[in-house]
Amino acid sequence: VEEPARRAVVEQVLQETGAKLDAAGVVYTTRLRAGPVREVICAEAIPEQHLVVFGPLGRPWWERWIRGRALRRMMPNLDTPFIFASTAHRQLAHILLCTGGLEYSVSAECWALYLAQQTGAAVTILHVAEAVHYHYPTADQLDTHWQDLLETDIPQAQHLRTLLEQARTQGVQASLHVRHGTVVHEILAEVRAGRYDLVVMGSKYSSHSLRSHYLPDVTAEVMEALQLPVLVVRHGQDCILADQP
């Protein structure tokens, strides 16, 4: 409850949502808190216990223009995986897993494969080979052989082969798409080309390299452009769903 005058409205929404959860047989609890929604969500979310799900925060255009989007300000302080759902989407048959093909993507990959295993969804693994900024052997080989990446022995290829094998052993139908170009543009192009129900990504806050300070925030750019739910998992965040009965 951000504004005391809207408390009754929030309570009504809680009652209506609770009735839907009861009808679906979902066990739940409710908590009513007062304060700025961004601060309350970050304070309530407990690492290794919660998956946070939220939609647009309803900020007026002038506030977004002055302060930037609340979503971007929330992400650095949210220590749990979260799903941002800009619109209602009621099926989960095809997951797009965006991976950099290195160790920092493992947490997001774990969540994607587990969700696919439990729901029977197919997974498309998307790796975008960026244009080379710094020339060194691995980057140059990736830039040259992106169309036949799995036939190389660079670290990204080794990781992606392992990921495909993990999907196979878990009974998940998975395929690999490799694109070449700007990451945000290619992810959005892949979404437009396929019929996806959920996009799974890592977060730029998975790493602290200097590149994160001058390149676009890929995760936020994609979330703001899509009309699909996006699951964001930071490196090191465990797949808590796997521990549930």
Side-chain angles (χ1 to χ4, degrees), residues 124-151:
T124 294
I125 301 166
L126 175 63
H127 177 73
V128 178
E130 297 183 79
V132 174
H133 296 282
Y134 302 102
H135 290 276
Y136 54 93
T138 299
D140 289 338
Q141 193 170 2
L142 176 61
D143 188 56
T144 302
H145 295 282
W146 66 271
Q147 291 179 300
D148 56 349
L149 177 60
L150 291 185
E151 298 178 18

Side-chain angles (χ1 to χ4, degrees), residues 9 42-43 56 59 69 73 96-97 139 142 144 163 170 173 198 205 215 220 241 243:
V9 175
C42 291
R59 296 295 184 260
R69 291 183 177 270
R73 299 198 305 275
L96 178 64
L97 168 58
L142 176 61
T144 302
L163 179 58
Q170 293 180 31
Q173 178 186 340
L198 176 69
Y205 301 103
L215 290 179
L241 292 181
D243 299 327

Side-chain angles (χ1 to χ4, degrees), residues 22-245:
D22 283 332
V26 176
V27 177
Y28 69 94
T29 59
T30 60
R31 296 183 185 179
L32 194 60
R33 296 287 187 267
V37 63
R38 178 169 57 91
E39 295 178 11
V40 171
I41 290 176
C42 291
E44 288 286 319
I46 301 174
E48 300 181 2
Q49 291 188 27
H50 289 150
L51 166 66
V52 177
V53 183
F54 62 96
L57 301 180
R59 296 295 184 260
W61 67 267
W62 56 264
E63 183 176 339
R64 293 197 301 269
W65 183 75
I66 294 173
R67 302 185 62 193
R69 291 183 177 270
L71 172 65
R72 292 187 184 236
R73 299 198 305 275
M74 181 187 296
M75 287 175 62
N77 301 313
L78 192 56
D79 293 327
T80 64
F82 67 88
I83 293 176
F84 177 71
S86 59
T87 59
H89 198 82
R90 302 182 183 278
Q91 68 176 19
L92 184 56
H94 198 176
I95 297 172
L96 178 64
L97 168 58
C98 305
T99 173
L102 293 172
E103 191 68 21
Y104 63 81
S105 301
V106 167
S107 296
E109 294 164 0
C110 177
W111 276 84
L113 292 186
Y114 182 81
L115 288 173
Q117 184 185 49
Q118 297 301 309
T119 62
V123 175
T124 294
I125 301 166
L126 175 63
H127 177 73
V128 178
E130 297 183 79
V132 174
H133 296 282
Y134 302 102
H135 290 276
Y136 54 93
T138 299
D140 289 338
Q141 193 170 2
L142 176 61
D143 188 56
T144 302
H145 295 282
W146 66 271
Q147 291 179 300
D148 56 349
L149 177 60
L150 291 185
E151 298 178 18
T152 71
D153 202 38
I154 62 175
Q156 290 89 337
Q158 296 176 28
H159 184 93
L160 292 170
R161 284 196 294 267
T162 299
L163 179 58
L164 286 167
E165 178 61 20
Q166 288 176 344
R168 187 190 67 79
T169 58
Q170 293 180 31
V172 174
Q173 178 186 340
S175 60
L176 173 67
H177 288 187
V178 180
R179 287 177 170 267
H180 186 272
T182 305
V183 176
V184 173
H185 178 273
E186 295 303 327
I187 291 175
L188 296 179
E190 179 65 31
V191 172
R192 288 192 294 269
R195 293 187 174 183
Y196 297 105
D197 303 305
L198 176 69
V199 178
V200 180
M201 303 183 67
S203 166
K204 82 165 189 177
Y205 301 103
S206 302
S207 60
H208 301 281
S209 68
L210 291 176
R211 297 179 73 229
S212 67
H213 295 286
Y214 65 83
L215 290 179
D217 182 347
V218 171
T219 304
E221 294 274 346
V222 170
M223 282 193 294
E224 292 168 357
L226 291 182
Q227 296 296 307
L228 284 176
V230 179
L231 168 60
V232 180
V233 186
R234 191 182 305 182
H235 174 60
Q237 292 177 335
D238 294 332
C239 186
I240 59 174
L241 292 181
D243 299 327
Q244 302 302 312

